[in-house]
Amino acid sequence: MNESTQWAEDDDLAGDDAAAPDPGSGILRVFGRQLKRFRVRAGVERSEFGARLGYSASTIAAYEQGRRVPPPRFIDQADELLDAGEVLKEMKEEVARAQYPAFFRDAAKLEAEAVELHVYANQAVPGLLQTKEYAGAVFGMMRPPLDEEEIERRVAARLVRQEIFTKRPSPLMSFVIDESVLRRPIGGRPVMRGQLEQILLAGHRRTVEIQVMPLDSEENAGLAGPFTVIETNKGNRIAYVEVQNVSHVHSERRLVWGLEIKYGILRAQALTPQASLDYVEKLLGEL
């Protein structure tokens, strides 16, 4: 990996472009052709095939034409139903990566390989903690506006990233979230209530610590913006930072070390994990 690789969009506000694949994504076209070949070989019409798996014929057509990213469960079921000999299953990992645009795929892969992941957020709730409704509201505020189908695809991909919480062994994760993020009712009060409840649930996981950076604190080392520090299962330590639609991933030790130091200071400046959860409960009571 180069010392600094530019990405085109911000992760948590711009939304990592989620499940909208690059136009004509190669792996999706290959998967779609193979899916159709096995379906035709089995003598099954799209409507019948879709009905057996719980999908519409139009959705099956979109998968076969490489226009939509099929979920892992569909790939497993399709492979077995069509007796594809695991040909479809073997493409599952690459197909999953295709839900992200090219600039985010390396980051998504690193995130999925994390054994430690530490996030500072001062603009929006981190994507890994967002509810479906909150994520939809974030994407709905993008300008120029996205159409509803695009918003749905991006929300779906964001939720897929959250499968990191169910990995075994689960990575160690921590989040320092600016209080302003928790007080900004993106999507309205009902959406924000659900979002705060989700943060509380995540904060009670044994492998997750959440801290709040109070607004009345006179010291804040994170004024330059959000960032994430990751250690992968291969022992690599990387970081990425985001500034107004431009993001960079860093692997050069000096740059990563600087952000690690900054994150440690932020944790010292923020409320303790227990005090933070108590504060989130207080905010819930105010909604």
Side-chain angles (χ1 to χ4, degrees):
M1 183 182 297
N2 295 330
E3 172 181 331
S4 179
T5 302
Q6 181 169 326
W7 298 344
E9 239 181 307
D10 163 274
D11 171 33
D12 293 323
L13 291 183
D16 53 72
D17 243 2
D22 294 340
S25 176
I27 184 62
L28 293 184
R29 292 200 307 271
V30 171
F31 176 85
R33 286 196 297 267
Q34 293 297 317
L35 176 65
K36 182 177 181 179
R37 181 169 69 87
F38 284 116
R39 178 181 60 78
V40 172
R41 187 190 69 174
V44 184
E45 296 293 331
R46 280 177 180 162
S47 56
E48 180 186 353
F49 178 55
R52 292 186 187 182
L53 298 181
Y55 295 85
S56 67
S58 61
T59 298
I60 300 301
Y63 293 159
E64 292 182 348
Q65 295 162 11
R67 294 185 290 105
R68 291 186 62 178
V69 181
R73 184 169 178 269
F74 169 84
I75 296 176
D76 289 339
Q77 291 176 322
D79 193 283
E80 293 174 7
L81 180 61
L82 300 176
D83 193 23
E86 299 197 350
V87 171
L88 301 179
K89 288 183 179 180
E90 287 176 357
M91 291 187 278
K92 187 162 58 174
E93 182 176 342
E94 289 302 315
V95 167
R97 291 188 68 199
Q99 68 189 313
Y100 305 108
F103 67 79
F104 192 71
R105 286 174 190 158
D106 286 343
K109 185 174 187 294
L110 290 167
E111 186 178 83
E113 294 174 352
V115 294
E116 288 188 30
L117 189 146
H118 308 287
V119 181
Y120 172 64
N122 64 355
Q123 297 173 349
V125 172
L128 289 175
L129 296 176
Q130 289 180 9
T131 64
K132 178 180 179 180
E133 293 75 18
Y134 185 96
V138 169
F139 292 126
M141 290 187 296
M142 291 185 67
R143 295 296 182 271
L146 304 173
D147 60 41
E148 291 301 319
E149 185 176 351
E150 181 72 3
I151 291 174
E152 182 180 339
R153 287 197 296 263
R154 297 190 181 198
V155 169
R158 174 148 295 179
L159 298 181
V160 167
R161 287 173 55 204
Q162 297 176 8
E163 292 178 0
I164 192 172
F165 289 103
T166 61
K167 286 179 58 178
R168 294 294 181 271
S170 179
L172 298 176
M173 290 181 274
S174 69
F175 301 84
V176 176
I177 305 174
D178 195 87
E179 179 184 348
S180 61
V181 171
L182 303 178
R183 287 192 169 275
R184 186 175 296 118
I186 291 177
R189 290 181 179 273
V191 170
M192 200 63 204
R193 170 174 285 278
Q195 181 60 72
L196 293 177
E197 290 173 345
Q198 174 124 320
I199 290 173
L200 280 176
L201 288 173
H204 282 101
R205 291 177 177 269
R206 293 178 58 199
T207 56
V208 177
E209 289 192 338
I210 293 174
Q211 293 178 254
V212 175
M213 174 64 74
L215 281 171
D216 60 7
S217 174
E218 296 182 1
E219 296 183 325
N220 186 328
L223 297 180
F227 62 91
T228 299
V229 177
I230 295 174
E231 178 170 348
T232 72
N233 55 14
K234 298 177 182 177
N236 299 320
R237 296 189 71 85
I238 64 100
Y240 63 87
V241 297
E242 304 157 358
V243 180
Q244 194 62 32
N245 293 339
V246 177
S247 300
H248 292 80
V249 61
H250 301 285
S251 60
E252 197 273 324
R253 183 57 193 156
R254 179 180 59 85
L255 294 171
V256 177
W257 176 79
L259 289 173
E260 289 174 335
I261 294 297
K262 179 178 288 190
Y263 191 77
I265 294 172
L266 282 166
R267 295 201 69 177
Q269 293 171 339
L271 299 176
T272 66
Q274 185 56 58
S276 296
L277 294 183
D278 291 343
Y279 184 74
V280 173
E281 288 185 350
K282 176 178 176 293
L283 289 179
L284 262 175
E286 296 175 359
L287 289 177

